[in-house]
Amino acid sequence: ALQRLSLRIGRVSTILLVKSCGVSLLVVVALCPLQDPRLILPICLLRSWLMNSTLALSKSVLNDYVPKRHRAKWASLESVNTSTWAGSAALGGLLSDRIGYRHTFLVTAALQAVGVLLYTPLASLVAAEAAPPKRARASTAAEPRACRAGSSFSAPP
């Protein structure tokens, strides 16, 4: 589903849209006056799915726009990010005990919103890809820079 959307609006725009929806749902959970688990649980599950569903798109942007010799650096940064997730969960638990889970969710939403804002400049740098025509490709204008003629590897005919 996200791949089809990314063909319409671009990979980075898709990431921004989906992550913004995830942040919004976290705010909804934090501010929702009804605390019925039958309502909150599906929203939390949808939010988690949204926030984690863009990983493949992010990696494809990384692989298309970062030269091979620098990809290991970015991959190691990603692994540091993943490994700090457990620590942030513990910190979130402590914070929740001190200020309550609603405020903890709002702090998390604010931090994630900053992350989305930091990702925003990529939208203008990464071209919006269009689905290739079924019979022949007319132009390479919508292809990522790494696949254009003259690069270290070329696009299929």
Side-chain angles (χ1 to χ4, degrees), residues 65-152:
Y65 288 90
V66 174
K68 280 187 177 183
R69 68 181 186 273
H70 295 297
R71 287 184 194 160
K73 295 174 200 171
W74 288 101
S76 65
L77 185 61
E78 179 76 26
S79 68
V80 168
N81 180 33
T82 303
S83 65
T84 59
W85 184 78
S88 69
L91 181 62
L94 290 173
L95 196 60
S96 180
D97 286 344
R98 295 203 186 246
I99 64 173
Y101 80 92
R102 287 178 188 238
H103 290 111
T104 304
F105 282 0
L106 291 174
V107 168
T108 302
L111 291 172
Q112 289 177 345
V114 168
V116 169
L117 290 175
L118 291 173
Y119 216 90
T120 302
L122 286 179
S124 62
L125 298 174
V126 176
E129 298 90 1
K134 296 207 183 215
R135 294 192 178 172
R137 297 174 91 165
S139 171
T140 61
E143 293 179 1
R145 283 185 220 137
C147 294
R148 291 189 185 147
S151 67
S152 58

Side-chain angles (χ1 to χ4, degrees), residues 5-127:
L5 180 61
S6 73
L7 291 174
R8 289 180 175 234
I9 67 173
R11 291 179 289 180
V12 174
S13 296
T14 300
I15 292 167
L16 292 172
L17 176 66
V18 170
K19 292 226 180 247
S20 296
C21 288
V23 170
S24 300
L25 285 175
L26 189 55
V27 171
V28 166
V29 169
L31 300 178
C32 182
L34 300 173
Q35 294 303 308
D36 183 3
R38 293 173 293 183
L39 173 67
I40 300 298
L41 185 61
I43 293 172
C44 286
L45 290 173
L46 176 61
R47 182 217 158 265
S48 293
W49 177 81
L50 287 170
M51 295 304 284
N52 294 314
S53 67
T54 60
L55 184 61
L57 288 175
S58 296
K59 285 191 180 209
S60 73
V61 170
L62 176 80
N63 287 334
D64 284 350
Y65 288 90
V66 174
K68 280 187 177 183
R69 68 181 186 273
H70 295 297
R71 287 184 194 160
K73 295 174 200 171
W74 288 101
S76 65
L77 185 61
E78 179 76 26
S79 68
V80 168
N81 180 33
T82 303
S83 65
T84 59
W85 184 78
S88 69
L91 181 62
L94 290 173
L95 196 60
S96 180
D97 286 344
R98 295 203 186 246
I99 64 173
Y101 80 92
R102 287 178 188 238
H103 290 111
T104 304
F105 282 0
L106 291 174
V107 168
T108 302
L111 291 172
Q112 289 177 345
V114 168
V116 169
L117 290 175
L118 291 173
Y119 216 90
T120 302
L122 286 179
S124 62
L125 298 174
V126 176

